[in-house]
Amino acid sequence: MKEKEEKKMEITIVREENQSYFEPLMPRELWEKSDLVLGAIEEGAACGVLAATEESEHIMALEYLFVAEDYRRKGIATALLDGLHEIGRYSGMDLTICQYALNEEQSDLDLCLDKNLFELDEVRTPVYRTAFGDLSPQYFGKKPERNDVKKSLLPLSEVTARMWNRFAEKLEKLPEDEEKLTELEVKYMYDQDASFLLVKKGEPTGCILFEQLEDDFLLSYFCVLKDASPVDMMHLFQASYQNLKTRCSDTSWIYINALTETTEKMVKSMTDQKAVLRGQAVTRYYYY
């Protein structure tokens, strides 16, 4: 009597015809956002999924990597990453990046990426989490009312590519002691309604940028240049708050990457000391 043949692990590109098979393994919002999804099948069961987005013509971002608990430690995550790299090489990608908050919950991901030769960026900044309801009304309760203020706050959807590039160039020219500010990512990555550019006399002088994470939000970048005032800074926060409150409940989480010591102090102040440290923001790169 022949032994029953074992069903081997299979990595497949997830398309419309097989998406329902893998849908329970990944949040709905990521299905809408991702440009590429790979699925893993072991013993006839959908057991793992990887999602990536194209950040530019030659860069991919790893957005999600998940393996069902009963199938872990079997090399499935590595097989999914191998599948991503095979597509990356075929597509002429330069690198794949992965950004996350390094803490106990993400330790397995960190070890997996290290094992699979993702290089770790040396720059690390603290990531805080606060409930939307804990944001201080003292800072966020008022609406910017003056017409000149409204004109100086451009929603990201109204910011031209030329204006965006001008602001990025200004950041690159900052003195070395202010280089803790990270490079701006491409504009479409950020929430178009909750993110704003501050403009003074026709020149961009600051920004507040949010990314949506399922039902939560990441304040991924905040910056005001030296010719902007503290009042201008508050107007940026207030404008974002007014738009976010139509989409958030009091229990929605806001994650804040404190890129500088000044931002870290501000985070604690604007949440009445209720913000909780969630880990260190890290970036890993895989070069092709």
Side-chain angles (χ1 to χ4, degrees):
M1 181 174 170
K2 291 185 178 180
E3 293 183 7
K4 188 176 180 180
E5 183 178 346
E6 290 186 9
K7 295 182 180 180
K8 296 181 180 179
M9 177 174 54
E10 178 186 353
I11 303 298
T12 183
I13 295 177
V14 180
R15 297 184 172 89
E16 186 176 347
E17 57 267 25
N18 64 350
Q19 180 174 320
S20 60
Y21 196 46
F22 296 94
E23 279 180 347
L25 301 177
M26 188 166 75
R28 175 178 52 82
E29 292 80 4
L30 284 172
W31 287 105
E32 299 171 357
K33 176 183 179 182
S34 301
D35 297 314
L36 171 68
V37 179
L38 299 179
I41 300 173
E42 173 86 357
E43 299 173 349
C47 59
V49 69
L50 177 154
T53 58
E54 292 186 21
E55 300 305 312
S56 70
E57 188 177 353
H58 298 291
I59 300 174
M60 282 195 296
L62 176 59
E63 300 287 351
Y64 188 79
L65 179 61
F66 175 80
V67 176
E69 189 172 353
D70 292 342
Y71 294 87
R72 292 172 187 171
R73 306 292 187 272
K74 293 185 176 182
I76 293 173
T78 293
L80 285 165
L81 289 170
D82 286 344
L84 175 67
H85 296 332
E86 184 177 344
I87 291 171
R89 293 187 188 96
Y90 178 80
S91 304
M93 291 291 175
D94 290 334
L95 67 122
T96 293
I97 64 173
C98 185
Q99 297 173 309
Y100 52 98
L102 181 55
N103 52 34
E104 289 186 5
E105 295 174 12
Q106 297 282 33
S107 60
D108 285 347
L109 172 64
D110 192 59
L111 288 171
C112 178
L113 295 179
D114 184 55
K115 173 186 173 185
N116 286 280
L117 307 180
F118 277 77
E119 296 181 24
L120 181 62
D121 195 324
E122 294 181 0
V123 177
R124 297 190 181 192
T125 52
V127 175
Y128 286 85
R129 186 181 75 175
T130 182
F132 186 76
D134 287 337
L135 294 175
S136 173
Q138 175 185 350
Y139 286 95
F140 302 105
K142 297 180 181 179
K143 293 182 181 179
E145 295 179 353
R146 300 197 315 271
N147 285 333
D148 59 334
V149 170
K150 291 180 179 179
K151 290 178 182 177
S152 70
L153 296 172
L154 287 181
L156 211 58
S157 57
E158 298 179 16
V159 175
T160 64
R162 184 178 180 183
M163 180 75 75
W164 180 262
N165 292 335
R166 283 221 305 270
F167 185 58
E169 289 169 2
K170 286 191 172 193
L171 292 182
E172 290 174 0
K173 294 177 181 177
L174 289 175
E176 289 186 5
D177 62 347
E178 298 183 39
E179 281 185 346
K180 292 181 180 178
L181 295 170
T182 60
E183 294 181 4
L184 288 183
E185 302 291 349
V186 288
K187 184 164 71 80
Y188 71 78
M189 283 183 60
Y190 304 107
D191 188 286
Q192 299 291 296
D193 296 318
S195 301
F196 288 83
L197 195 68
L198 177 68
V199 179
K200 303 282 283 187
K201 298 180 180 179
E203 284 298 314
T205 57
C207 71
I208 185 167
L209 303 175
F210 280 88
E211 296 176 57
Q212 187 164 2
L213 307 169
E214 301 180 40
D215 296 325
D216 306 319
F217 289 85
L218 169 65
L219 173 53
S220 58
Y221 200 93
F222 173 78
C223 173
V224 288
L225 303 182
K226 288 181 178 178
D227 47 353
S229 69
V231 173
D232 293 325
M233 178 185 72
M234 290 316 308
H235 286 156
L236 280 169
F237 279 106
Q238 289 165 353
S240 289
Y241 179 82
Q242 295 301 323
N243 282 1
L244 282 175
K245 75 177 184 179
T246 65
R247 302 157 61 188
C248 289
S249 67
D250 282 349
T251 57
S252 295
W253 293 116
I254 304 293
Y255 294 87
I256 304 169
N257 189 352
L259 297 171
T260 65
E261 290 183 8
T262 301
T263 307
E264 189 169 9
K265 292 176 182 177
M266 189 189 313
V267 169
K268 295 176 181 178
S269 177
M270 69 188 188
T271 61
D272 297 328
Q273 308 299 317
K274 294 177 182 176
V276 177
L277 182 64
R278 292 294 297 156
Q280 298 291 316
V282 299
T283 303
R284 282 189 177 272
Y285 302 90
Y286 185 92
Y287 295 93
Y288 294 103

